[in-house]
Amino acid sequence: MSTPNAIDVKNVINYGNSQDTFHRHVKTCEVGVKEYYSNGAFTLKKTIFDELEEHGISIPKENQTFPYRASYDIECLLKKPSIPGTSKIDYSSEHVLVSVSVCSNVPGFLEPRCFVLAKEGAHKQLVKEMLNYLLEISETSAALLREKYRDYLELIAKTPVSE
């Protein structure tokens, strides 16, 4: 029995883990798969750049991706657990935050920076320092991009809003 929003598949075959077997079946399958979408056929939605283009604002492809990155690496040490085990769980070790290194391609933040635990128990402070640094990087990248796209932003601000 078939219902809307369901997939009809007859003569289900066990394909195992072999893609070759699956693809061979798809080539020769006469039953096929019939899919029903409650909102009609699937279509890709317009990107913001497509919508801007409709309003006469053309942004070059090379400017349609976010150019900046920040990445981090967290190092921990393993110590004996401070949590007692239970009848079902045996804790063998506990990860303890020791340091975080941050790298970025944002101008002004190109040199790697390392945050090291100042004293035992100051983990929250270490995380706070790292997050504040990432926030600085983010705010700087946003300011650089506002400047880079200033002309486009002014055009957008002058464009009437359509409902």
Side-chain angles (χ1 to χ4, degrees):
M1 181 171 154
S2 173
T3 59
N5 301 324
I7 298 173
D8 293 339
V9 179
K10 297 177 183 169
N11 304 324
V12 176
I13 298 172
N14 181 3
Y15 303 110
N17 291 329
S18 170
Q19 263 191 319
D20 293 337
T21 306
F22 171 74
H23 290 298
R24 186 170 46 246
H25 169 75
V26 169
K27 286 179 184 176
T28 60
C29 180
E30 294 177 14
V31 175
V33 176
K34 190 171 187 179
E35 298 183 25
Y36 298 92
Y37 295 96
S38 60
N39 295 332
F42 174 77
T43 57
L44 287 175
K45 293 184 181 196
K46 294 179 189 175
T47 68
I48 186 70
F49 302 107
D50 296 333
E51 291 185 30
L52 287 171
E53 191 76 43
E54 289 175 1
H55 292 281
I57 301 171
S58 179
I59 298 178
K61 284 279 186 203
E62 64 270 12
N63 290 338
Q64 293 184 11
T65 57
F66 195 80
Y68 299 120
R69 305 282 180 265
S71 58
Y72 53 90
D73 180 43
I74 298 174
E75 299 297 332
C76 295
L77 63 85
L78 299 175
K79 72 174 199 173
K80 290 188 178 187
S82 59
I83 304 168
T86 67
S87 62
K88 294 184 178 184
I89 300 173
D90 180 32
Y91 295 103
S92 57
S93 57
E94 184 177 340
H95 282 81
V96 178
L97 178 62
V98 175
S99 67
V100 181
S101 299
V102 178
C103 291
S104 171
N105 68 343
V106 176
F109 298 90
L110 299 175
E111 292 297 316
R113 182 149 173 206
C114 187
F115 300 90
V116 180
L117 189 64
K119 63 181 181 182
E120 192 170 341
H123 305 99
K124 286 183 181 180
Q125 182 61 32
L126 174 64
V127 171
K128 185 176 180 180
E129 289 173 17
M130 187 249 333
L131 291 175
N132 284 338
Y133 186 67
L134 287 170
L135 185 59
E136 285 180 55
I137 293 171
S138 176
E139 289 169 346
T140 301
S141 74
L144 290 168
L145 290 173
R146 274 192 297 275
E147 181 61 31
K148 178 178 180 177
Y149 294 108
R150 181 179 27 164
D151 294 341
Y152 297 114
L153 293 170
E154 288 173 3
L155 281 171
I156 292 168
K158 294 175 185 175
T159 303
V161 178
S162 58
E163 296 294 322

